[in-house]
Amino acid sequence: MTRSLAPIGLLGYIFGSFLLAILYPQSVLAFLLFEASLLLLYYIPAHAKVKSTLAALVLIVLMPLLGTINGYYLEVAIQIGIYAALALGLNIVVGFVGLLNLGFVAFYAIGAYLWAIFGSPQANEFIAGGVFPLAPYWFFIFLLLSIGVGALTGLVLGLPVLRLRGDYLAVVTLGFAEVVRALVNNLDKPVNLTNGPRGISPIVKPPLFFRPVLEFFGLEITDAKLYPLYFYFLVLLVVCVIILVTRRLESSRIGRAWKAIREDEIAAAAMGVPVVRMKLLGFAVGASFASAVGVLFAAKQVFINPESFTFMESIGVLAMVILGGMGSIPGAILGATGVTILNLQLLKGLSLWLNGLRQSGAVLTLPLLGSYSLSQIPVQFEPAKYERMVFGLILILMMIFRPQGILPPKQERKR
Amino acid sequence: MALLELRGVSKRFGGLQALARVDIELEDGVIASLIGPNGAGKTTLFNTLTGLYQPDEGEIRFQNRSLIGLKPEQITGAGISRTFQNIRLFSHMTVLDNVLVGMHSRLDTKLWQIFLSTQKYQAREKAAQRRAIELIELAGLSGRENEWAHQLSYGEQRRLEIARALAAAPKLLLLDEPSAGMNTSEAQSLMALFKELIGRYVQAILLIEHNMRVVMGISDRVHVLDYGEKIAEGHPDEVRQDPRVIEAYLGQGVWTARRP
Ligand SMILES: Nc1ncnc2c1ncn2[C@@H]1O[C@H](COP(=O)(O)OP(=O)(O)OP(=O)(O)O)[C@@H](O)[C@H]1O
Ligand SMILES: [Mg+2]
């Protein structure tokens, strides 16, 4: 009974919130309600087929439609996708294999710089011939290449350090990320490889190979409108591939070996699991995800500099994995979504609202306390300025009240 | 020729001689027990056998092949698997997955087969699951496949460890105090299980036991360690009469007493 009613109710909810978001394009709340439909979708009792159809409706049809009305929504969705992919990669290392990696952003940076250097005039600085930037179609080749490069750097870092345990490994990975950032920051002399702190731009975007198809259907869309949609679908595709690969790995002997190592390394070895090799593999797979996402990020941003790859980024992604629930694929996605929305929308939205109040010049009169002109609210009260604090508080509260994360791995396996 | 052969195996921890030139031979088809007072070096012997420790001296040969220098997973691959005295299950994994991990070395799937989820791979996974469920049944845990390992009772966890060890398709099974914490009837059914295993699932069993009822009940041979030295071996009835064994256990009242 509920199995047939729930999807219909949800469908109503999806369209309702969709309409709200269209009617109130500035409303953060409306968009949040719309985004929540995916979460509801995860929870409702329904057939997997029904669920995936509804998810496809939201992600492939409605979200892009909303995006064409309010480009900012699309930007948020792209950011969520990028962080979800990063969180899924880190989830393999931290959640499955149980290795604390505090420098995950290094692999992201390596992917981003890989495309930034060769997909911009930057490479002309050290390769003669003036053939750079590469043509847009090279983007896809570099996307594939970055998987290999990421895996390789993961192996290179992993080989010497994976014999270390716990805290030691965390410190080494942290150091590695700082080394990568310092290199990127300083490799503008003697040979200008990375252009140092000034960053690299313009970075070539992927080719609009489907343009003729659109024109055939009589759709005239400007590049400025088309690219966000394009990136949205690219990110969506990458996230879907990552989810698929992660799920397959998780249910294979490799995923089982990873979790066994996390639970008890000695017992895992005694059961025939080649511990070092499996750890290396986990490191390499996570790194390859991050590095591929880095390529996407560079192409989307057009400009990148070392500032995008700080230690706080690593910590942010780690927090997403922990908040969502370590070792859980839906958890990593939810964590990434929650944190990104919090940073990009909730806090900014609150700041905007507070600004509005201030500018309205209204006067708040409280009994006993007297009246207070709202225009006097200090600028320091803006929630956006408290991003890290709010974030920290949420982490503390979560660790106290729900240490296993919001969506910890389920114990029942459907087979 | 013996299945397992230890020659002069020694292991020191700082000034402590945990194993002193131990010689042990194990034939095909037998259930052998390793006994001795607390701290005699029994678990150390298992750890040395399974590659967790490297012996300081001596030779270990399994099916006439040296195990010295091999890593734990290579030794499992060679056909020895074990349980632990202080249960070491993968707590936050299901019962089924615990057993499937034991099959790691027997499941030869390549990365690309997993990515593409090929037919052959799926068939292998299915077969592995069927075998895992069979072993779970053998251990008396049918229907518990999807529970998390840490949700099982103590005795059930011990039996799950046996199922997991069997999943590696060992020729020699090493059990470290399998009946610890079990009552008499549980221990009885465990003994019946061991007899069923010999010849059908494994070629030989070596078990560490403090429960003398179990030792005397099922062992074909008994090896006695004391302060790292092998002080006696033979048929259970012989060993029971051995003056050195009685001496080792003297002052402790009963066989099962523990040294402080
Ligand atoms: N890794 C280690 N480092 C230092 N000493 C150790 C180590 N492992 C064991 N020992 C010591 O070696 C001796 C033998 O220990 P072992 O665990 O093999 O005894 P056991 O015969 O299994 O005893 P029990 O019946 O209590 O399990 C003990 O004195 C123990 O403290
Ligand atoms: Mg012991």
Side-chain angles (χ1 to χ4, degrees), chain B residues 185-223:
Chain B
S185 79
E186 283 175 316
Q188 288 286 340
S189 72
L190 205 61
M191 283 159 69
L193 172 66
F194 296 159
K195 290 207 173 108
E196 199 183 332
L197 293 181
I198 287 289
R200 287 185 55 199
Y201 291 88
V202 295
Q203 293 176 22
I205 295 177
L206 178 61
L207 66 139
I208 297 175
E209 255 310 335
H210 279 296
N211 184 339
M212 283 307 139
R213 217 190 293 261
V214 174
V215 172
M216 295 303 149
I218 55 165
S219 312
D220 300 306
R221 281 187 81 76
V222 179
H223 306 264

Side-chain angles (χ1 to χ4, degrees), chain A residues 338-371:
Chain A
V339 173
T340 314
I341 288 182
L342 186 74
N343 283 344
L344 282 181
Q345 292 198 286
L346 271 185
L347 296 176
K348 291 222 172 77
L350 274 176
S351 295
L352 279 178
W353 177 72
L354 215 63
N355 262 333
L357 274 186
R358 195 166 38 227
Q359 274 150 22
S360 72
V363 176
L364 189 67
T365 314
L366 290 173
L368 300 179
L369 289 175
S371 60

Side-chain angles (χ1 to χ4, degrees), chain A residues 103-118 142 145-154 156-157 176-177 179-181 183-184 287 290-295 298 304 309:
Chain A
F104 195 61
V105 80
F107 305 116
Y108 182 44
I110 285 168
Y113 268 88
L114 183 71
W115 178 236
I117 290 172
F118 295 99
F142 269 69
L145 199 67
S146 70
I147 297 172
V149 171
L152 213 67
T153 33
V156 167
L157 172 66
F176 173 71
V179 166
V180 168
R181 202 168 61 87
L183 280 179
V184 177
S291 157
V293 183
V295 170
I304 62 163
F309 309 102

Side-chain angles (χ1 to χ4, degrees), chain B residues 157-170:
Chain B
Q157 292 194 10
R158 287 224 171 271
R159 279 183 276 136
L160 175 56
E161 260 210 342
I162 296 174
R164 184 180 70 175
L166 287 174

Side-chain angles (χ1 to χ4, degrees), chain B residues 13-14 16-19 36-45 47 53 85 176-177 208 210 225 258:
Chain B
F13 296 111
L16 182 92
Q17 188 81 36
L19 293 175
N38 289 116
K42 306 178 295 291
T43 300
T44 304
L45 187 88
N47 288 344
Y53 299 156
Q85 179 174 359
D176 200 342
E177 303 198 18
I208 297 175
H210 279 296
L225 281 184
R258 304 215 162 214

